[in-house]
Amino acid sequence: MKERLLDINQWAKIAGTEMSNFYLTDSSGHQVSRFAIDGDHIKIDIPGPGTVAGKGYDWVRIEQIITEELDGAEVLSITVRPSANPLNDKEDTAHFLTDEATSTFQVKRMGNTVSAEEHGRNEMPNTGTDNTLDNIRNVFVGWGAKIGLSYPQWKALVKGLLSIRA
């Protein structure tokens, strides 16, 4: 399960859906084929138009990957935060949410029981960019995420992480 969570390039396949595609990049934004590490970025291709700042993609930075033992459970967590597009020098957040938001993906094993979760925090639409079209797009996509339109994506990923088919 841990390997599946760390294999960002396979998330769409693991989820069994093409709602969004995920591409692991290094800290400079260059696509890589390996497990994720702290400081990497994830380039996300969601349905519909992307941001100008992200050159068509939404970007998050992997803030931390933690492996720990909690109350007898083995836990792996990945926390990501919306970020600038690392392929250019601009500091504008290239994501539909502000950089105050975080998402934490977690797999946990306690004995023979394995679980997986996703937790979003501080999710507010990113309307402070210099591009009016990005701001409008971010309001609609952010609003959609807030009312649960991103839920099927994360539910499918979590279910896929636990599946023996993945």
Side-chain angles (χ1 to χ4, degrees):
M1 304 306 153
K2 290 180 182 181
E3 291 82 14
R4 290 182 196 160
L5 183 57
L6 293 169
D7 196 359
I8 308 297
N9 291 321
Q10 297 301 312
W11 278 12
K13 181 180 177 184
I14 290 168
T17 177
E18 291 296 321
M19 286 184 211
S20 298
N21 285 302
F22 304 88
Y23 306 96
L24 181 67
T25 75
D26 61 19
S27 61
S28 300
H30 300 99
Q31 199 164 332
V32 293
S33 295
R34 57 167 168 72
F35 289 145
I37 59 173
D38 288 353
D40 282 346
H41 283 83
I42 302 171
K43 181 172 72 169
I44 307 165
D45 186 6
I46 66 171
T51 63
V52 171
K55 297 210 185 289
Y57 298 95
D58 288 274
W59 290 84
V60 296
R61 182 178 177 277
I62 298 174
E63 276 195 347
Q64 62 180 357
I65 299 174
I66 299 174
T67 302
E68 57 192 337
E69 193 130 338
L70 294 171
D71 301 324
E74 194 179 335
V75 181
L76 172 68
S77 301
I78 299 176
T79 300
V80 301
R81 181 180 302 273
S83 69
N85 176 352
L87 294 172
N88 65 38
D89 295 333
K90 296 186 180 183
E91 293 184 21
D92 291 340
T93 299
H95 193 278
F96 62 88
L97 298 174
T98 69
D99 63 2
E100 297 296 315
T102 60
S103 290
T104 300
F105 303 89
Q106 186 177 84
V107 291
K108 185 185 312 181
R109 184 177 63 82
M110 181 175 265
N112 292 330
T113 303
V114 179
S115 61
E117 307 169 355
E118 183 274 336
H119 300 278
R121 302 282 185 259
N122 304 317
E123 296 179 334
M124 297 297 297
N126 180 17
T127 59
T129 74
D130 292 336
N131 185 293
T132 302
L133 290 177
D134 278 1
N135 290 339
I136 293 168
R137 178 251 188 202
N138 292 345
V139 165
F140 283 102
V141 177
W143 177 77
K146 196 147 187 95
I147 64 166
L149 296 181
S150 63
Y151 177 76
Q153 174 74 51
W154 300 137
K155 181 179 179 183
L157 177 62
V158 165
K159 188 175 178 181
L161 289 169
L162 299 174
S163 173
I164 58 172
R165 71 165 166 74

